[in-house]
Amino acid sequence: VRLTGIESPVPTGLFIGGQWRAASSGATFDVLDPADGSLLAQVADGTTDDVTAAVDAASAALPGFAATPPRQRSEMLRRAFQILTDRAEEFARLMSLENGKALPDAKAELTYAAEFFRWFAEEAVRIDGDYRVAPAGGTRTVVTHQPVGVCLLVTPWNFPAAMLTRKLGPAIAAGCTSVVKPAEDTPLTALLLAQVLAEAGVPDGVVNVVPTMDAEEVVATAMADPRLRKISFTGSTEVGKILLKQAADQVLVSSMELGGNAPFVVCDDADLDAAVDGAMLAKMRNGGEACTAANRFYVQAPVAEAFAGKLAERMAAMTSGRGTDEGVTLGPLVNEETVAKVDRIVTGTVDAGARVLTGGTRPQGPGFFYPPTVLVDVPEGAPALTEETFGPVAPITTFDTDEQALALANATPFGLVAYVYTGDLARGLRLAEALESGMVGLNRGVVSDPAAPFGGVKQSGLGREGGHEGIGEYLTTKYVSFPL
Ligand code: ADP
């Protein structure tokens, strides 16, 4: 399909075994522009037969790719990094068009996404091993790491490029082959990425992409295929649990990046302006549509009013509109369901007694817009504190002691990320150690970094993506024991 502002046509077929094809049923599904709900593109609607064909291709490509010299795999990723960087503008526009996000967010995502390819290009040649003398002598143990095999990568719509490169980077670096099932709202970015990887020299069948409207059946079919060895999923905890149950049947290696409910703690000794800057990032990056988004703010009582006032002022000053328009800093949410959920959470929280400092009402007119919203005096148990809002909503409550802040912050089944602002480093580290989360931003509003191990504890997930840990999710350990 030809899209405004994007030079080359964007593929809309299935990508299987290096070939672009229509769905076996001939069906397509609609991808909408969230700024006005209009039709953007029609994409092949993959079937269970199509996903099996993709597993065929990935399985056939596996032995050859697993045996490829690490340096070659590294160079494929490095070239892909370069192509993405060269075509950053085009990718950013595409993501803005299909996801709705403002261009500055889309550009930031593209940089982040490309960086996974560069990072894992560097990791591909550092897969290590070990040679050990047995304690009793007489035998030796040689430990080596091998690619896990055929992987199923299921990704969400909020970061259509980065959530995929974060999986494909290590998969390719490790020598695995993959079947990708992108989110139905944002399949175009995944398809363009597949084209880039082919251009970078990734062999046919190593990366296959099957968009579909029937995620449930198509994913279940791949999960039941005995040739599949691994699932890597980013999305809701609800769907993650379904996939973990399916994974149990085949004892699949499972990586799960699930929902979050990030607390943002501001202590009375924090630099308030820095805390507001951090809050803007943690809350408003990607329009609030991030699993790392600050979902609830706990501010120490003496500074709470000042913090809330400054945050409301900054949020109200954002420019809302079509993501690709000049000067826009907040695009629409991705779809009707998401905006309706945000609206329900805010209404429920206000009904529970919260006070609105800014925003709080869904605008009339086309598109899936919701205004930046700050809520104060939010009572414990209100939906804005207990549910993952995934939108531009900042509920603020207060605390008196650090113990109380920790108790409030940890009172959730989730544990992806937490943010802490304080002027006292030791206090910050004590809080960071006691917070039940896989990541902590200490005097920082963003933790995502390809060189660091991203992931959660509790019901936020299993495994880590990025860092030195990331490639390990795509490797198995084998040892050879022999007498000497
Ligand atoms: P979100 O709430 O962010 O949309 P989801 O967990 O619903 O997250 O979706 C993330 C990914 O999981 C998407 O690619 C979606 O198509 C897929 N998905 C949704 N439901 C299922 C299911 N029942 N089985 C397998 N995959 C699913």
Side-chain angles (χ1 to χ4, degrees):
V1 64
R2 289 260 171 206
L3 298 170
T4 346
I6 298 171
E7 238 164 74
S8 38
V10 178
T12 55
L14 312 175
F15 188 62
I16 298 175
Q19 305 291 315
W20 293 98
R21 23 168 135 159
S24 57
S25 62
T28 61
F29 66 93
D30 295 347
V31 178
L32 305 183
D33 177 345
D36 56 14
S38 66
L39 180 69
L40 200 61
Q42 292 183 308
V43 169
D45 188 2
T47 63
T48 54
D49 284 349
D50 293 325
V51 85
T52 300
V55 178
D56 290 345
S59 179
L62 182 66
F65 193 60
T68 308
R71 177 66 73 200
Q72 281 183 26
R73 301 199 301 265
S74 167
E75 283 172 356
M76 290 167 200
L77 288 171
R78 180 66 206 204
R79 281 193 294 271
F81 162 75
Q82 196 55 52
I83 298 169
L84 282 187
T85 305
D86 294 345
R87 293 173 65 179
E89 187 73 31
E90 204 181 330
F91 265 92
R93 289 194 77 83
L94 179 58
M95 287 192 279
S96 183
L97 284 174
E98 67 173 348
N99 164 282
K101 65 177 71 187
L103 257 188
D105 279 325
K107 286 179 185 166
E109 178 183 350
L110 195 274
T111 306
Y112 177 49
E115 204 56 55
F116 280 107
F117 284 165
R118 176 155 70 174
W119 174 260
F120 284 106
E122 291 156 351
E123 291 292 286
V125 289
R126 317 234 185 282
I127 299 169
D128 61 5
D130 200 355
Y131 182 99
R132 304 177 194 170
V133 178
T139 61
R140 301 292 180 268
T141 303
V142 175
V143 180
T144 185
H145 299 289
Q146 296 182 317
V148 85
V150 176
C151 305
L152 177 63
L153 313 179
V154 180
T155 53
W157 47 260
N158 62 340
F159 293 99
M163 295 304 97
L164 190 47
T165 59
R166 185 155 89 172
K167 300 185 191 305
L168 278 175
I172 291 170
C176 293
T177 60
S178 303
V179 174
V180 174
K181 207 305 280 174
E184 41 279 61
D185 286 310
T186 58
L188 297 169
T189 305
L191 294 170
L192 194 61
L193 258 177
Q195 196 180 56
V196 164
L197 287 167
E199 199 187 316
V202 172
D204 292 352
V206 170
V207 174
N208 307 277
V209 184
V210 183
T212 179
M213 270 310 270
D214 190 4
E216 195 175 330
E217 286 300 315
V218 165
V219 169
T221 300
M223 293 289 284
D225 194 305
R227 297 165 298 178
L228 194 75
R229 296 285 3 114
K230 177 182 173 73
I231 168 76
S232 178
F233 172 74
T234 299
S236 61
T237 295
E238 187 192 346
V239 174
K241 288 178 185 176
I242 297 173
L243 297 185
L244 278 171
K245 285 178 188 149
Q246 293 174 359
D249 283 340
Q250 286 216 80
V251 195
L252 295 177
V253 176
S254 303
S255 302
M256 296 280 150
E257 296 290 354
L258 309 178
N261 181 4
F264 191 106
V265 177
V266 183
C267 300
D268 56 0
D269 58 1
D271 174 337
L272 264 205
D273 289 321
V276 172
D277 286 345
M280 285 301 290
L281 265 179
K283 178 71 260 177
M284 296 310 294
R285 190 171 73 104
N286 218 42
E289 292 177 307
C291 49
T292 52
N295 201 56
R296 2 172 226 146
F297 290 79
Y298 297 112
V299 187
Q300 207 159 10
V303 296
E305 205 180 314
F307 175 84
K310 282 171 189 265
L311 184 63
E313 197 178 310
R314 288 279 295 278
M315 282 178 58
M318 293 185 81
T319 308
S320 178
R322 170 184 287 277
T324 49
D325 282 355
E326 189 65 30
V328 165
T329 51
L330 180 64
L333 297 174
V334 69
N335 55 28
E336 172 58 36
E337 198 186 341
T338 304
V339 73
K341 178 180 175 194
V342 172
D343 194 32
R344 174 179 61 73
I345 288 176
V346 171
T347 307
T349 303
V350 171
D351 287 349
R355 198 154 52 84
V356 179
L357 282 196
T358 184
T361 5
R362 187 177 174 181
Q364 304 286 318
F368 310 125
F369 291 94
Y370 199 88
T373 297
V374 176
L375 305 173
V376 292
D377 304 336
V378 180
E380 228 176 294
L385 300 177
T386 56
E387 292 189 51
E388 188 180 26
T389 305
F390 243 65
V393 179
I396 302 178
T397 57
T398 61
F399 69 90
D400 295 316
T401 65
D402 288 12
E403 289 63 39
Q404 203 186 354
L406 282 172
L408 289 166
N410 289 339
T412 165
F414 300 101
L416 189 60
V417 59
Y419 303 91
V420 177
Y421 271 78
T422 167
D424 176 349
L425 185 59
R427 182 182 184 186
L429 287 173
R430 271 194 300 274
L431 287 167
E433 286 190 11
L435 283 162
E436 294 169 356
S437 67
M439 304 174 283
V440 178
L442 178 50
N443 293 336
R444 275 204 78 192
V446 57
V447 294
S448 303
D449 177 350
F454 186 104
V457 299
K458 296 161 88 175
Q459 293 192 22
S460 285
L462 296 172
R464 292 295 179 266
E465 295 193 308
H468 297 300
E469 292 81 353
I471 197 169
E473 306 267 323
Y474 294 84
L475 294 167
T476 56
T477 302
K478 174 184 279 181
Y479 78 82
V480 181
S481 176
F482 62 97
L484 193 69

